[in-house]
């Protein structure tokens, strides 16, 4: 049996790459639109981007929101004399701006020889790579990605499971707005589900089969928690979930810990602290090891100890 111990700490530069420990760091926690100011200091204002350090050289990145710029600065310090080319893999849930805007600002792509493989949702009849290329091009951005010194390799995926280094990645279509994937990553005995944008059902109770499959028994579930119940009643078809629904999915899928994610830009620190404690006090949260709202700069350590319960 394998157990997980969840430790939360502030991440520090130079920490990535420890063999034998899976670390998950939040570089962007926000949904919809970035925000800035003193009222957002605790939870941060960058949009969706999470890095998984599997102990291998290449980090596994979830989404390319504005937090990806900060991750780039972490992986490629500006004052560093020489930056070796980076090879990274990025899982893109969907193409909304809040999940894509950081891609052309990812500084390792300024280095010749760098390679970022982007695995993202197939776009029906359109080619995934062509759609991304049409978003990063003048007049929306000064240059096209093929003009970067590093290479962005765009790979369309659908309902499938594939191997990236030591990680097994499962991609499934989930309800949101437009073609959207949720991901599950199993690596080094640890498991994580990433469902950052997900339309909760109007009954507030049923759970999509694909979501249940992704989240089943995971150590950590990172789930859309954009709205409180009142907001959801106004925006019930805007593609998102409530904190209560995130707790419900975590409980029903037997996830061990829940990270509330994709914070609404109108939710400042005080509001989110309140939402976090309300979510943790829900009856369905009683069986979870922890319920926490994602904070920018937070690292979760998934420390697996074979042989323990
Ligand atoms: Zn989003
Ligand atoms: Zn979205």
């Amino acid at each position: 049996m394998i157990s997980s111990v969840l430790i939360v700490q502030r991440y520090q530069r130079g920490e990535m790459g420890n063999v034998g420990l899976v670390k998950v760091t939040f570089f962007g926690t926000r949904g919809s639109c970035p925000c800035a100011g003193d009222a957002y200091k605790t939870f941060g204002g960058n949009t969706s981007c999470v890095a998984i350090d599997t102990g291998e050289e290449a980090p596994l990145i979830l989404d390319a929101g504005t937090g990806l710029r900060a991750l780039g600065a972490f992986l490629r310090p500006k004052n560093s004399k020489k930056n070796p080319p980076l090879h990274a893999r990025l899982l893109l849930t969907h193409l909304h701006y809040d999940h894509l805007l950081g891609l052309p600002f990812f500084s390792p792509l300024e280095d010749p020889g760098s390679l970022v493989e982007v695995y993202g949702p197939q776009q029906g009849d359109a080619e995934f790579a062509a759609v991304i290329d049409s978003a990063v091009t003048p007049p929306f951005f000064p240059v096209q990605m093929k003009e970067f010194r590093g290479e962005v390799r765009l790979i369309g995926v659908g309902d499938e499971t594939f191997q990236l280094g030591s990680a097994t990645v499962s991609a499934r279509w989930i309800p949101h707005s437009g073609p959207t994937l949720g991901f599950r990553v199993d690596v080094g005995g640890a498991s994580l589900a990433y469902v950052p944008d997900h339309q909760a059902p109007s009954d507030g109770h049923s759970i999509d089969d694909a979501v249940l499959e992704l989240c089943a028994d995971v150590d950590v579930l990172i789930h859309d928690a954009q709205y409180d119940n009142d907001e959801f009643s106004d925006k019930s078809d805007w593609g998102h979930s409530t904190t209560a629904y995130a707790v419900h999915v975590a409980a029903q899928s037997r996830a061990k810990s829940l990270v509330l994610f994709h914070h609404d830009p109108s939710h400042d620190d005080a509001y989110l602290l309140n939402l976090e404690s309300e979510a943790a006090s829900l009856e369905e949260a009683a069986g979870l090891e922890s319920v926490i709202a994602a904070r920018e700069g937070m690292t979760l350590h998934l420390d697996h100890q074979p042989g323990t319960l």
Side-chain angles (χ1 to χ4, degrees), residues 32 93-99 176-177 180 197 238-240 262:
S32 304
T93 55
H94 62 308
L95 309 192
H96 288 163
Y97 286 138
D98 53 326
H99 300 257
H176 174 46
S177 168
T180 302
D197 292 53
W238 284 31
H240 294 290
H262 205 271

Side-chain angles (χ1 to χ4, degrees), residues 30 37-44 267-275:
R30 200 60 63 172
D38 287 349
Y40 302 97
K41 273 183 178 166
T42 301
F43 294 93
H267 292 173
D268 62 13
D269 288 343
Y271 202 89
L272 282 172
L273 283 169
N274 194 41
L275 273 185

